[in-house]
Structure formats: C-alpha cells, structure tokens
Amino acid sequence: MSDVVIVGGGAAGLSLAHQLTRSGSTVVTVVEPPAGPLRSAERTWCYWDQGTGAYDAAVSASWSRLRVHGPDGSPVTVEPAPLRYRMLRSAPFEDLVYAQLARAGGQVHRATAEAVRSVAHGAEVRCTTADGQALTLRARLVFDSRPLRALPPARTQLLQHFRGWFVRTRTDRFDPGVADLMDFRVPQPRQGLAFGYTLPLAPDRALVEYTEFSRTPLTTAAYEAALSHYARDVLDLGTYTVESTEQGVIPMTDGRFTRQAGPAVFRIGTAGGATRPATGYTFAAVQRQSQVIAATLRDDGRITVPPPHGRRARAMDAVLLRALDTGRINGPDFFTGLFRHTPPHRLLRFLDGATTPWEEWGIGMRSPVGPMLRTAVELPFLPRRFHPVPAMAPTSEERPR
C-alpha cells in the first residue's frame, strides 16, 4: 500500500508528486488514464519564476520581456526582472516527475479511476485498466484532481476558452525575447472580452492562441476563423504551417470549492479551487498547495491542504468577475491599464495573490472606482446558483488566456 495515491497526471497531480517524492520519504502512486479519449493531448503550462527552479530541465522556453497590445494597437512592454515567464510542456514535465517518482519507489498506473472513497485507515481508488481489468489501490491519503461533475453554486461564472496553433512561418516573423500576453487587436464579443496570445519559440516558430472570457465556448470552426484573422490580419505572418493545436476551457467562478471530500480524500488543482476566478491562473496556487502538503506530511505526518487563494484575493476576484460579466468595466482597457500603470514585478505578484493590502489599494485606485464600488456593494445580496459545467480540457494554468 502506498502512502499517497494521486488521481490525475495534470499540472496539479504532477506538481504534488514532485514535491512529495523530493525527500524520498513518501511512497506515491499516480493514476492516469491510458491512451485513448480520456487521456489529454500534450498540454502547455506557463508561469513566472526567478532564478533556477525545480522544473528548469523541462522548461521549453522563457522570456524576460512581456507585452500587452491595447485595443488601439499601442503596445505596453515590461521587464519584470528578476522574474521570467516560462513555458512548460506536459511531456517533458511528465518525464521529469515520473523519473523522480521511480527513483523514490513510486509507480504510475495507466488506468481510469472510477470511484474514490475513504475506508478504514485510509482511502481507496477503484480503477479500470486499459485491458478492462478491475484494479483497486489503497493508500493512507488520496489526492483527486479529476474535473468536478458539478461546479459549486456561484454568483458569477464565466469561461476562459481558447484554441491555439503551434505555427512555423516561411520567414522570420517573431521576436523570441518578448511574449505577448494579451493582444486586444481582435474583434471583441458582445459580452466578455477576447485577445490574442503569442509565445515565440524561435524567429519562425510560436504558439499563437485566440482566447475569450465569456459565458459559452465557441465551435472549433469559430476558433479557427478567429485564429486565421489574428495570424493573417493582426500578426501579418505571411505563409505559415500549423504543426499542432491545443484547445481548452477553464471555469472562472466565485463559487466556494470544497477541498476535502472525505476523511482521507482531498481535491487539488481546479477541482479544489486553485484556479484564480478573475484570470484563470492556477499554476502558482498549485505550487503553494503542493509545498504545504509535502511539508506537513514530512514534518509531522498530518495533512494540511491550505486554501489556494486568500480571502482578499477571492473578494477582489469576485468583484472583478462580476464587473466584467455585467459590462460595467471595459475588459481590454482594464487589463491594458494594469500593465501600463503598475510596476511589472508588483503586478505579477498581484496576479499571484502575493501583494500587501497597501499595494492592492494603490492598484485598486487606478481601476474604475465607481463601477467597482457599485459591484462590491451588490455582491452580498446576489444569490449563488448552479451554472452549466463546461467541458474542460486540461490546459496551461498560469497565464491570462
């Protein structure tokens, strides 16, 4: 019997497995779907960090400069030193973590988890293997990162949905030193906002995405049309080839997520509320949770799963999410203004929920104060209700997409 079973090998599951096995004192088993419709295609996760990090060997690219294009086309370029923006692809990340897992005596089961429940002295995961055989795994603790079947009731729920192309151009079209986080030079939807996103990998290669914050996803044909417009008319890429694609949906909700599903069963990742409601950021919160879980198990054998985001961050996000959904603030102007008027290192810490109340006050005073106050006053009186659950694909968790 393992000490810990982790259900799901996405960003949350891999990060927790990495933290738990670093010391070699915890025996970990990861359950991940076998090849097939339930197993995700290769994914991209992005985050910012400084210096050297535990995942450096798996990082595909990084950037020291970040850029936002306002709706009028004017660029805002910032250098958030000592932070760098890093791209992590799921395949090398899996290789890194699973090699460490093997060295620590752990294992990976390619099986579909059907049920997770607490039992005497721990918990068990009932699975079905690729050849249809039943498999039951038992452990002292189980951490479940599978998407929820129903999101918690919320006052506001938007979706961050996107489609991306890995493109290669015939001639050099990209500056590999600058990542475009938000490019608002795209047509805006009637509700919510839309932007382009470009991560250059070489002068002739990049990940190019089209993203919306809105209530419903688009059809694949609509994403393709939006991407074609962005690549052709905004980025002026000329002749290019699409080498691979990625697509996903992330819930942006002020619902209250339950982190414990039983005495020995805990939810992590998006299922445990790690996704930042107003931006879709997840990766930083996943790292904080994983580090605390590993530290408490190592030091005293008890389990602590901290809230992914503090109360102030959740309250601010609830206001911003509602203001965006109601149209009281102009999303492109708001986000462009954040990058234009806030010191870049402070802004990234703010987006990670690591700023002080005084710093947050200064940032808030540069936002549309009237609409924000009106929204803050009405929120306590709004009912929480259930919203349709989106078809969620595991995605990059640490960028505003």
Side-chain angles (χ1 to χ4, degrees), residues 27-384:
V27 179
V28 176
T29 297
V30 176
V31 179
E32 190 172 33
L38 295 180
R39 181 164 171 79
S40 301
E42 189 170 7
R43 294 144 284 169
T44 304
W45 299 302
C46 293
Y47 62 101
W48 36 75
D49 202 354
Q50 64 184 59
T52 58
Y55 306 143
D56 285 356
V59 169
S60 302
S62 68
W63 301 267
S64 61
R65 290 183 291 158
L66 308 176
R67 185 167 55 199
V68 171
H69 289 271
D72 61 356
S74 60
V76 181
T77 304
V78 300
E79 296 187 38
L83 296 174
R84 290 183 68 90
Y85 194 55
R86 307 177 193 269
M87 172 193 278
L88 196 62
R89 295 284 282 160
S90 59
F93 189 29
E94 285 181 2
D95 292 342
L96 176 74
V97 174
Y98 289 161
Q100 180 176 295
L101 186 70
R103 290 193 298 270
Q107 55 186 328
V108 179
H109 285 285
R110 304 290 183 179
T112 302
E114 308 290 354
V116 178
R117 64 169 187 161
S118 294
V119 296
H121 309 297
E124 70 176 20
V125 182
R126 296 183 179 179
C127 313
T128 302
T129 62
D131 59 1
Q133 299 297 310
L135 172 67
T136 299
L137 302 171
R138 292 182 176 83
R140 187 161 63 89
L141 297 167
V142 170
F143 296 91
D144 191 351
S145 67
R146 293 175 301 167
L148 298 176
R149 293 182 179 179
L151 293 174
R155 295 165 298 193
T156 311
Q157 180 176 302
L158 294 178
L159 303 177
Q160 181 180 154
H161 51 98
F162 63 92
R163 184 171 174 84
W165 291 341
F166 283 88
V167 302
R168 184 182 295 272
T169 56
R170 178 175 293 179
T171 59
D172 292 351
R173 295 286 180 169
F174 304 107
D175 179 357
V178 184
D180 284 304
L181 291 187
M182 287 180 146
D183 189 340
F184 293 109
R185 297 175 295 174
V186 297
Q188 295 299 308
R190 184 173 301 176
Q191 274 191 312
L193 61 91
F195 55 88
Y197 176 83
T198 303
L199 297 183
L201 306 175
D204 63 343
R205 293 177 54 243
L207 168 60
V208 176
E209 289 191 355
Y210 172 82
T211 300
E212 282 192 14
F213 292 1
S214 60
R215 295 182 181 179
T216 56
L218 306 180
T219 63
T220 298
Y223 288 121
E224 290 285 295
L227 271 167
S228 294
H229 166 76
Y230 184 52
R232 181 186 64 248
D233 300 328
V234 178
L235 297 181
D236 190 24
L237 295 187
T239 302
Y240 60 86
T241 301
V242 178
E243 298 184 324
S244 61
T245 64
E246 68 173 28
Q247 185 167 324
V249 181
I250 303 170
M252 302 171 66
T253 170
D254 66 354
R256 296 167 178 167
F257 287 78
T258 301
R259 299 188 301 281
Q260 189 163 3
V265 178
F266 300 85
R267 295 191 179 106
I268 57 173
T270 296
T275 299
R276 190 81 189 262
T279 63
Y281 288 8
T282 309
F283 201 86
V286 161
Q287 303 314 306
R288 290 194 296 267
Q289 277 193 324
S290 298
Q291 290 163 10
V292 172
I293 291 169
T296 54
L297 281 177
R298 180 185 65 244
D299 295 341
D300 53 25
R302 294 183 297 107
I303 175 62
T304 298
V305 180
H309 307 287
R311 290 184 179 180
R312 287 200 322 276
R314 294 199 306 270
M316 289 186 294
D317 279 8
V319 173
L320 176 55
L321 196 63
R322 177 72 178 175
L324 286 172
D325 188 41
T326 58
R328 288 180 187 147
I329 64 170
N330 180 288
D333 288 343
F334 174 81
F335 285 108
T336 303
L338 279 182
F339 278 85
R340 181 170 284 127
H341 301 300
T342 307
H345 189 268
R346 182 182 303 170
L347 174 58
L348 298 191
R349 288 192 296 108
F350 171 74
L351 295 175
D352 273 348
T355 42
T356 66
W358 179 251
E359 290 173 322
E360 292 160 6
W361 172 265
I363 294 171
M365 292 305 294
R366 294 188 178 96
S367 67
V369 176
M372 291 296 201
L373 285 177
R374 178 184 172 190
T375 303
V377 168
E378 79 171 5
L379 270 178
F381 302 99
L382 296 176
R384 294 181 182 271

